[in-house]
Each structure stands twice: as structure tokens, then as C-alpha cells.
Amino acid sequence: MATTAPGVSPSPLPSALLMLFACAAGLSVANVYYAQPLLDALAADLQISTGRIGAVIAATQLGSVAALLWVVPLGDRMERRRLMAIQTVGLVLALLAVAMAAQAWSLLLGMLAVGLLGTAMTQGLIAYAAAAAGEHERGRVVGAAQAGVVVGLLLARVMAGAVADLGGWRAVYLLSAALMVVTGTLLWARLPRLPVPITSSARTGVIALLRQQPVLRQRGVLGLLLFTVFGLFWSSMSLPLGAPPYALSHTGIGAFALVGLLGALAAARSGHWSDRGHAGRVTTGALLLMLLSWAPIAAMSHHLGWLVLGVLLLDLAVQALHVTNQSRILAAAPHAQAQVIAAYMLFYAAGSGLGALAGSALYAAHGWNAVCAAGVGISLLALLAWWAMTGYHAITGGHEPCPVPGGARIDNDCSRPEQPHAPTPPLRSTLARPQ
């Protein structure tokens, strides 16, 4: 696999390696979300009040923030394969610590470590896949890795619920530790050795990227609000479903993630539409759908079928916008992929943590209707924020302005990143510059 020489087109990434990237990314991110359908069991076992159990999710998101600031960017500066091995060992130890937690403080510390290392591995694998791929297939490869993340994120709830019903919540983390041992062994054996980037862009830094790229800041704000809504719903949904009159099992609660998976898979085409210059339209449609999804979610008390519809619409909206956001920011910074992903995912982690804290607190204080009202308010705020951004005002032509350092734009066929001594590539060509 030739990936070291600039300007040389490498051979296609083997399908088996691509599948390994996707599966490993899915298993890594699942660790951050196993706790969501288990909050009632964790609260009962470790004597944590309902109003404070959201801190378990917030701890994992705090760990995610730390990973995005200090660990994920190392992928642009260190040998990726060795870094991945170190992270895998650390994640296995963190999962074992959670499984053996006997008090609330030890559980929170373990979740903090799981959030840090699970996030570092997940985002590091996406950047690793992008670096291992040739420019002619980078979009396909990153899309496959991101698909693994989506599947892992959603199926984590199903697996956690089913395993907890059979062996208790601790069995979930013991099983995951075993899976990560197997995954780490395969990654060490199969991942290609890549050269450490030496360009100045590789040393840009997350904060510098945020200053330089308006598209990253805009998409980050949308991501923050998007995942505040997402965290608000998924972190609190198990509380009413686990209580009378529903009293669903953990398996039954986790099964709602299968509905979300259908919505997420339906959103897969959003990346293709973004590459065609319709990022603005996809963004507007996803935000409207997210707002509308709260109507059936709020009607859950009348029939659980409404909740099924709401989950489908919410996950469709969230994943469509998430994929669109990532396609825009990755195209804007092809030489600092790990860092630009880390910068965007900071907004993701902050939103997920805020949503988790708000969801459990609102439910404990005022019930499910308060959670739904907050979801509507934040969704409306996201839509208004998008209307105020420059990208929205350009959607009549189907294009969204996307500045990159140097003044180039990447979201329409007349304004691609500049390439010296070469004509502007057509719309169907790659968005990234040659490495």
C-alpha cells in the first residue's frame, strides 16, 4: 500500500482492512454509550439519585473533551499504529475499572477514562483510515469508518440492555473489555505503518484551526446544538420507559436504538448530496426534521408507536447533519485531518454532556414534558442559528460557502481549494488537495 510518496496514487485499500477500520471504530465508540440504557440499574446498585445519575454520561463526555484536546491530535504527530496500541491497552484497563466500581466516585472516574480512551480510539481510527486511503477513495473510506461509528453508537444500547438483563450491568463492561483485547490484537497485526506527517499543517493545533476556518466554527456550533438535543433525548429516555406504566426491560429499552439505526442508515446519502454542492439544503432539511421529531416524541404517553416514529425522525436528522458537517470540515483541512476532527468533536462532546445533565435533571424535576419542551427549544435555536449563518443564505444555488486558509472555497464548482499550475477541477472530482 503506497501512501508515503506525494503525488503517487496508492493501491485501493483492501476491503478486509476497510471492514476492520469500521468494526474497530464501532466497538470503540460503543464504550462511551453503553451506560445510557443502564442508568436506572447504575443508580440502584450504587445508590445514586435520579437527579444526579446524568453525571455518569457527563463524565464520559468530559473524558471525550480531554481526548479531543490532547490525545486525538497526536495522530498528526506520532506513529499512528503504536499510538493505537497504547490507547487500546488503556481502554481495556478503564473498562475493567468500571466493571469493578463499588462506589459512585470510582464509577465516575472509570467513566471519565472510558470516555477519554474510547473517543481517542474512535476519532483516531477515522483519521487513520483517511490517511491510509488514496485521494481517489478517501471519501468512500472515511464514510465507511463513520458508518461503523454510527452502527456502534446505536447498537451499543441494544447490546448493553440485552447483556445487562442476562448478567447485570457489570457484565456489559467485562464483555467489552474482552472484545477490545481481540480488536487491539487485530489492529496491531493488520494496520499499515504510515509516515508521521511533517508538514507545517500537521502542527497547526486545534485552537489555531478554529481561528482559521469559519466553516469549522459554524459547523461546530451546529454540532453543539445538534448533540445537546441528541444527548437530552437518549440519556433520559430510559427513565420513563423503565418506570410504570411501561416498566420495560433493559433489552426492550435498548431495542429502540434499532429504530434509530434505520434512521441513521437512511441518512447515509447526505454525504453524497453534500459532495454535489447541496450541503446547505441538507442542513436546513435536517434541522427542520429535528424540530418536528419532538411532536411524536412528546406523544409517547398516548402510544409507544409515536416514540418509535420520533426516534426514527430524530436519528435521521442528527446523522444527516453530522455526516454533512464532517464532510465539510474534512474537505477544508486535508493536511490536518486528526486535528480538524478533534476540533469539531469538541463541540459534539460538549453538547452530549450538556444534554445528558439537562435530560436527567429535567425529568427528575418536572417529568417527560419538560424534557420534550427543552428539546423543542434547543432544536429551534439550532434552526435560528443556521438561518443567521452565511451558508444558509447561499442555498438557493445549492452551495454553501466554506472558507479555507488562503481564501479558497470548497462548496461550489467555481471555488475549489487552489492547486498550483492546475485548472480548477470539475464538480465530481475530489475536494481534497494532493498530499
Side-chain angles (χ1 to χ4, degrees):
M1 187 181 310
T3 58
T4 60
V8 177
S9 178
S11 57
L13 209 64
S15 297
L17 181 57
L18 185 55
M19 181 63 70
L20 177 60
F21 274 122
C23 292
L27 288 170
S28 299
V29 77
N31 293 297
V32 184
Y33 293 93
Y34 285 139
Q36 287 189 349
L38 307 177
L39 292 180
D40 57 339
L42 292 169
D45 191 16
L46 299 179
Q47 299 181 339
I48 305 172
S49 68
T50 301
R52 295 183 179 180
I53 192 60
V56 171
I57 307 300
T60 62
Q61 297 305 324
L62 182 60
S64 296
V65 171
L68 296 169
L69 283 172
W70 298 303
V71 183
V72 176
L74 295 177
D76 289 332
R77 304 184 181 102
M78 293 177 59
E79 203 277 310
R80 295 177 189 268
R81 182 167 168 267
R82 180 169 306 193
L83 179 63
M84 197 61 58
I86 295 171
Q87 291 171 354
T88 304
V89 172
L91 180 56
V92 170
L93 294 176
L95 290 166
L96 292 175
V98 169
M100 294 184 292
Q103 295 177 313
W105 66 266
S106 58
L107 175 68
L108 293 176
L109 285 178
M111 288 295 186
L112 181 72
V114 167
L116 187 149
L117 293 160
T119 299
M121 278 197 69
T122 302
Q123 303 306 322
L125 283 163
I126 293 176
Y128 204 142
E135 286 193 32
H136 65 288
E137 62 170 357
R138 182 167 294 140
R140 178 182 71 88
V141 169
V142 171
Q146 182 59 42
V149 171
V150 172
V151 172
L153 186 155
L154 294 174
L155 292 187
R157 303 179 180 97
V158 180
M159 173 186 164
V163 174
D165 282 341
L166 292 173
W169 69 267
R170 296 178 190 275
V172 175
Y173 292 94
L174 290 173
L175 176 60
S176 183
L179 290 173
M180 293 312 303
V181 170
V182 176
T183 301
T185 302
L186 290 174
L187 290 174
W188 180 256
R190 297 290 299 162
L191 288 183
R193 296 179 183 271
L194 302 178
V196 178
I198 58 174
T199 64
S200 59
S201 296
R203 295 186 295 271
T204 299
V206 169
I207 303 303
L209 283 171
L210 285 168
R211 287 198 306 264
Q212 292 171 4
Q213 302 206 28
V215 67
L216 179 57
R217 296 195 298 272
Q218 291 183 359
R219 290 290 171 176
V221 169
L222 292 179
L224 172 69
L225 296 171
L226 173 75
F227 284 101
T228 299
V229 171
F230 198 62
L232 182 80
F233 173 75
W234 281 107
S235 65
S236 58
M237 183 195 73
S238 64
L239 300 175
L241 291 179
Y246 307 111
L248 296 182
S249 67
H250 292 113
T251 303
I253 295 172
F256 278 91
L258 295 176
V259 180
L261 178 60
L262 293 176
L265 293 177
R269 291 286 294 176
S270 60
H272 171 76
W273 292 332
S274 289
D275 289 341
R276 296 280 181 154
H278 300 294
R281 289 192 175 108
V282 172
T283 301
T284 302
L287 289 171
L288 285 170
L289 197 61
M290 184 170 72
L291 177 61
L292 292 174
S293 70
W294 284 99
I297 288 173
M300 177 181 73
S301 59
H302 299 289
H303 195 282
L304 282 181
W306 287 114
L307 182 61
V308 171
L309 176 60
V311 170
L312 179 65
L313 296 179
L314 179 63
D315 276 64
L316 173 60
V318 167
Q319 297 305 327
L321 184 52
H322 187 42
V323 169
T324 301
N325 287 346
Q326 288 189 309
S327 70
R328 297 302 87 204
I329 63 170
L330 281 170
H335 296 292
Q337 291 153 342
Q339 291 167 93
V340 77
I341 288 177
Y344 171 72
M345 294 302 291
L346 281 172
F347 294 95
Y348 164 96
S352 296
L354 288 172
L357 284 174
S360 60
L362 283 170
Y363 181 79
H366 303 291
W368 185 245
N369 287 337
V371 174
C372 295
V376 169
I378 299 169
S379 300
L380 184 59
L381 178 61
L383 187 59
L384 292 174
W386 170 237
W387 279 342
M389 293 177 185
T390 55
Y392 171 75
H393 298 288
I395 65 172
T396 52
H399 307 304
E400 175 192 356
C402 185
V404 295
R409 296 175 183 269
I410 63 172
D411 272 319
N412 60 58
D413 57 329
C414 298
S415 53
R416 301 290 177 179
E418 296 176 359
Q419 300 187 30
H421 310 296
T424 301
L427 182 61
R428 63 179 179 275
S429 64
T430 181
L431 293 175
R433 300 182 190 180
Q435 300 294 325

